[in-house]
Amino acid sequence: MKLALIAFALLQIAIATQTEGLYRALAELAGFIAVIALVVLYRKEKKSKLVIEPEEL
């Protein structure tokens, strides 16, 4: 999933550098949304890996 989002974001950046007007704006928006989705996935994974164990008394 992460690899697909990274590839999609890079593709959108490439499209945004090659085009103008509406297509460029849509590519920038899609790339931005893909990066935000990657950040959210990263934060969820980081939180789920944190395991707090109780201390023994």
Side-chain angles (χ1 to χ4, degrees):
M1 179 69 164
K2 281 196 279 183
L3 184 60
L5 282 173
I6 291 170
F8 181 71
L10 291 175
L11 177 67
Q12 295 304 313
I13 291 169
I15 291 172
T17 60
Q18 302 286 325
T19 60
E20 293 183 13
L22 179 62
Y23 295 118
R24 181 179 184 151
L26 290 175
E28 288 175 353
L29 177 64
F32 179 73
I33 292 171
V35 170
I36 295 298
L38 283 168
V39 170
V40 169
L41 283 175
Y42 176 76
R43 294 183 106 198
K44 281 185 180 178
E45 286 181 5
K46 193 172 180 180
K47 280 186 179 181
S48 67
K49 288 183 181 178
L50 180 66
V51 178
I52 300 172
E53 297 179 10
E55 295 181 14
E56 294 182 23
L57 297 175

